């Protein structure tokens, strides 16, 4: 099948910048250039008049949790709640509206203690008021912490004497469990919560793909794949339910087992699924005050700097495993101390193996990656993937946690750009919706919810923000020959917008609408 796009603005994201027309044949870009020449070449093509609208390469998700987005479709949404009472009401309605029987787990997703009137996490007593007959788990918006009710703690076997794993915490007051857990402790027990029915989960995966596609995204990441997801992905592949490309990163401890489960997907696509590398966590979240910092948090009288979640030796072993497997390492680093640990471990690996940089190690989030660390990032070929939407979502919280000077350096894309460091952007979905145009607005404007400009000198031009979610993101995945720009031979992954991000005023960037998303020549979303 041939399609000829014309009649609008086509941004190729190549050096030639724009084109009059784009010819697609069998899901691949066949030609880009002058309309008359392409029209003469393919008179049998279906012509698609853009009618003045804007065509770009489809956006590429540099980091998120695809299965998490699917699970969120089956969970009580708590992102808009402003106090404990609203959390209770939302959970109660969810149980009633979904006719959830006694004994079945209930999960609420997206609360943020920073947005609650109480300015603290709920407790198990709050959740016990919702139900003593349903085990309940709340997942914080960051995904790094959460709360369990009493029945859930009992079913999980957690008692006041249960020790917290290294790099995690189990909340206790006067020797009693509060229900709160963070980092490795929360992740450990979260994975023990039973999964939803497979049929419901497969349908949720279908809806999650529509969510990503509605924001112009054609390539998605499974940012931390445990063994518990093997069955889900086997079912998705068996039923050919993936329309978007999904690139998965197992934890280092299960890397070999998951590669054995999907031998045809190791560093190559099998029915839109690929194992791209391995993932490790080095710290927590800045808004939760668990990111590992070199200097104390604001007003931390005890000198509290957050904490690491991996030892130096464990990290070195993880990078050795990645290298031996030829798998790209991704490390979650929010604080500058975590960034320092990662950079030091990569530098040590490079001394032993000069080609280690060929794995293109990625620093996920890189929130507090400091300017004095940028030269080492450049030298080692590390790709920072900034969670730059933090500026708007939690920028005011960061000012309270770090003070204005340090908060202004959050997601220092301007400093990276000045040093020629290729970087990408992401939303860590389901933490935030996969809204690439809002993210581009964040990078260009750097404005908090309260209207504070957070680091004007770290603002970047729109074109460079677009490159972060197209050209650079394709390179992060070793897919620059197939994706990220519009040139002959590349996959026809396209996004159609109702306005031109390169000509609208900066404050209007987040108002641009995605009209259509095309994956390999096939429309997967239309507004």
């Amino acid at each position: 099948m041939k399609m000829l796009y014309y009649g609008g603005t086509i941004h190729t994201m190549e050096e030639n910048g724009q084109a009059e027309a784009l010819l697609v044949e069998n899901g691949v870009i066949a030609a880009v250039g002058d309309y008359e020449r392409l029209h003469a070449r393919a008179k049998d093509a279906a012509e698609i008049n853009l009618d003045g609208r804007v065509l770009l390469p489809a956006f590429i998700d540099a980091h998120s949790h695809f299965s998490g987005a699917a699970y969120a479709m089956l969970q009580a949404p708590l992102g808009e709640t402003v106090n404990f009472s609203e959390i209770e009401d939302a959970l109660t309605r969810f149980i009633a509206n979904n006719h959830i029987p006694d004994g079945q787990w209930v999960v609420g997703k997206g609360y943020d203690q920073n947005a609650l009137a109480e300015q603290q996490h709920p407790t198990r007593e709050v959740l016990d008021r919702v139900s003593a007959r349903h085990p309940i788990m709340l997942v914080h918006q960051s995904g790094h912490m959460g709360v369990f009710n009493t029945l859930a703690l009992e079913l999980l076997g957690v008692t006041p004497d249960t020790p917290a794993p290294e790099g995690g915490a189990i909340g206790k007051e006067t020797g009693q469990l509060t229900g709160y857990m963070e980092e490795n402790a929360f992740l450990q027990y979260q994975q023990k919560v039973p999964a939803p029915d497979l049929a419901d989960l497969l349908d949720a995966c279908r809806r999650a793909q529509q969510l990503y596609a509605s924001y112009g995204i054609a390539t998605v990441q499974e940012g931390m794949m445990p063994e518990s997801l093997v069955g889900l992905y086997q079912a998705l592949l068996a039923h050919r339910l993936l329309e978007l490309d999904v690139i998965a990163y197992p934890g280092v401890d299960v890397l070999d087992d998951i590669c054995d489960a999907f031998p045809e997907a190791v560093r190559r696509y099998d029915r839109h699924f690929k194992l791209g590398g391995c993932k490790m966590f080095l710290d927590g979240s800045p808004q939760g005050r668990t990111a590992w910092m070199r200097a104390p948090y604001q007003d931390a009288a005890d000198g509290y700097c957050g904490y690491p979640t991996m030892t130096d030796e464990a990290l070195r072993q993880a990078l050795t495993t990645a290298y031996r497997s030829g798998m790209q390492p991704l490390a979650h680093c929010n604080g500058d101390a975590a960034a320092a640990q990662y950079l030091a471990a990569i530098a040590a690996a490079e001394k032993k193996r000069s080609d280690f940089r060929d794995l293109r190690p990625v620093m996920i989030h890189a929130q507090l990656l400091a300017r004095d660390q940028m030269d080492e990032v450049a030298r080692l070929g590390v790709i920072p993937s900034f969670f730059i939407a933090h500026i708007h979502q939690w920028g005011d919280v960061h000012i309270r946690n770090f003070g204005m000077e340090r908060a202004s350096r959050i997601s220092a894309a301007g400093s990276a750009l000045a040093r020629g460091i290729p970087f990408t952007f992401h939303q860590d979905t389901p933490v935030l919706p996969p809204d690439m145009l809002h993210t581009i607005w964040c990078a260009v404007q750097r404005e908090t919810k309260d209207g504070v400009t957070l680091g004007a000198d770290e603002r970047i031009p729109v074109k460079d923000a677009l490159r972060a979610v197209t050209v650079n993101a394709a390179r992060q995945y070793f897919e620059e020959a197939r994706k990220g720009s519009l040139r002959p031979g590349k996959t026809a992954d396209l996004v159609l917008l109702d306005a031109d991000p390169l000509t609208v005023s900066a404050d209007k960037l987040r108002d641009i609408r995605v009209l259509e998303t095309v994956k390999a020549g096939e429309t997967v979303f239309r507004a």
Side-chain angles (χ1 to χ4, degrees):
M1 182 178 178
K2 298 180 182 179
M3 294 176 289
L4 181 63
Y5 293 88
Y6 73 100
T9 301
I10 300 175
H11 289 302
T12 66
M13 301 308 296
E14 293 272 335
E15 287 188 8
N16 58 6
Q18 292 188 30
E20 287 185 0
L22 178 87
L23 178 64
V24 174
E25 295 184 11
N26 300 318
V28 176
I29 298 171
V32 182
D34 177 74
Y35 170 73
E36 295 298 334
R37 179 176 64 83
L38 268 60
H39 177 70
R41 169 177 169 175
K43 292 184 177 180
D44 56 339
E47 297 201 7
I48 301 173
N49 189 339
L50 298 175
D51 196 23
R53 295 168 296 183
V54 182
L55 195 69
L56 285 160
F59 302 138
I60 297 172
D61 162 40
H63 177 69
S64 73
H65 305 271
F66 172 69
S67 64
Y71 273 90
M73 303 280 181
L74 305 173
Q75 298 168 352
L78 303 177
E80 301 300 319
T81 55
V82 298
N83 54 45
F84 290 171
S85 179
E86 288 195 1
I87 288 176
E88 292 178 42
D89 291 344
L91 292 169
T92 300
R93 286 195 304 272
F94 183 78
I95 292 170
N97 293 342
N98 291 277
H99 309 289
I100 299 177
D102 290 355
Q104 184 171 312
W105 279 80
V106 175
V107 179
K109 171 71 178 177
Y111 85 93
D112 181 3
Q113 87 282 6
N114 296 296
L116 299 179
E118 294 84 357
Q119 287 290 291
Q120 62 185 33
H121 297 273
T123 63
R124 64 184 174 91
E125 287 83 5
V126 172
L127 303 187
D128 287 345
R129 290 199 293 268
V130 174
S131 176
R133 300 183 304 276
H134 297 85
I136 300 174
M137 175 179 68
L138 299 193
V139 182
H140 187 268
Q141 189 171 29
S142 69
H144 284 259
M145 52 203 74
V147 186
F148 297 89
N149 73 345
T150 300
L151 179 56
L153 292 169
E154 291 174 354
L155 292 174
L156 294 171
V158 182
T159 72
D161 297 324
T162 299
E166 184 175 358
I170 296 175
K172 299 175 185 177
E173 286 183 4
T174 63
Q176 296 300 310
L177 295 169
T178 65
Y180 171 78
M181 298 186 195
E182 66 187 30
E183 302 306 336
N184 283 346
F186 179 66
L187 296 175
Q188 173 181 311
Y189 287 103
Q190 182 186 32
Q191 291 178 11
K192 295 182 179 181
V193 174
D197 178 80
L198 180 59
D200 291 339
L201 197 48
L202 291 176
D203 180 66
C205 287
R206 177 191 60 78
R207 290 186 284 148
Q209 290 181 86
Q210 276 294 290
L211 173 70
Y212 282 95
S214 73
Y215 289 108
I217 296 169
T219 300
V220 179
Q221 187 178 115
E222 181 63 73
M224 180 61 170
M225 183 175 176
E227 279 190 291
S228 59
L229 289 179
V230 167
L232 170 63
Y233 275 99
Q234 287 175 334
L236 286 168
L237 268 58
H239 296 287
R240 296 186 178 274
L241 296 179
L242 292 179
E243 291 185 302
L244 309 183
D245 287 342
V246 178
I247 306 172
Y249 290 79
V252 175
D253 57 329
V254 297
L255 178 61
D256 290 342
D257 290 338
I258 291 183
C259 287
D260 289 344
F262 300 95
E264 299 301 315
V266 178
R267 296 188 300 276
R268 59 185 177 181
Y269 284 108
D270 176 18
R271 290 161 285 182
H272 290 292
F273 177 69
K274 177 171 76 170
L275 295 172
C278 53
K279 176 73 178 294
M280 53 209 75
F281 280 91
L282 303 192
D283 71 342
S285 69
Q287 72 273 31
R289 294 174 72 96
T290 55
W292 186 23
M293 304 298 301
R294 294 185 295 184
Y297 283 81
Q298 187 90 338
D299 302 323
D302 58 354
Y304 174 75
C305 294
Y307 53 85
T309 54
M310 287 185 78
T311 65
D312 291 346
E313 179 58 29
L315 177 56
R316 284 194 293 269
Q317 290 178 1
L319 292 179
T320 297
T321 298
Y323 182 83
R324 287 174 178 169
S325 304
M327 298 294 270
Q328 181 186 43
L330 270 64
H332 167 115
C333 302
N334 265 315
D336 52 5
Q341 183 188 34
Y342 191 40
L343 293 172
I346 291 171
E350 189 188 44
K351 286 182 179 178
K352 294 180 179 179
R353 307 172 180 89
S354 60
D355 59 344
F356 188 88
R357 65 168 49 230
D358 294 344
L359 295 181
R360 299 181 187 176
V362 180
M363 183 182 293
I364 294 295
H365 304 330
Q367 287 294 296
L368 281 304
L369 175 67
R371 289 175 175 176
D372 68 332
Q373 297 173 312
M374 290 284 186
D375 289 343
E376 186 72 346
V377 167
R379 187 186 74 79
L380 295 172
V382 174
I383 301 172
S385 186
F386 294 115
F387 191 172
I388 207 157
H390 254 256
I391 293 165
H392 182 69
Q393 184 69 25
W394 290 289
D396 303 300
V397 176
H398 296 329
I399 293 170
R400 295 198 299 270
N401 282 345
F402 300 108
M404 179 58 79
E405 183 178 356
R406 276 200 292 173
S408 295
R409 305 291 173 250
I410 289 276
S411 292
S415 294
L417 182 64
R419 290 164 175 79
I421 298 170
F423 54 84
T424 64
F425 295 149
H426 65 267
Q427 298 82 27
D428 204 17
T429 305
V431 174
L432 291 179
D435 189 340
M436 287 298 184
L437 289 161
H438 182 272
T439 284
I440 289 167
W441 172 82
C442 288
V444 173
Q445 290 289 87
R446 294 186 67 94
E447 183 179 301
T448 73
K449 282 186 175 180
D450 287 347
V452 178
T453 297
L454 201 57
D457 56 344
E458 292 291 351
R459 287 171 168 166
I460 64 172
V462 175
K463 185 173 183 179
D464 293 297
L466 283 169
R467 288 181 63 85
V469 299
T470 54
V471 177
N472 293 356
R475 182 180 179 278
Q476 178 183 306
Y477 286 128
F478 297 85
E479 295 189 19
E480 60 266 40
R482 300 182 60 239
K483 298 176 183 175
S485 66
L486 305 181
R487 75 166 183 236
K490 289 197 173 187
T491 302
D493 289 355
L494 315 170
V495 60
L496 181 63
L497 307 177
D498 72 344
D500 189 345
L502 290 173
T503 60
V504 302
S505 61
D507 63 314
K508 299 296 183 184
L509 285 166
R510 59 178 169 174
D511 298 326
I512 297 174
R513 293 177 59 239
V514 172
L515 301 176
E516 186 174 352
T517 303
V518 175
K519 175 64 187 165
E522 299 289 335
T523 296
V524 291
F525 169 80
R526 183 176 282 119

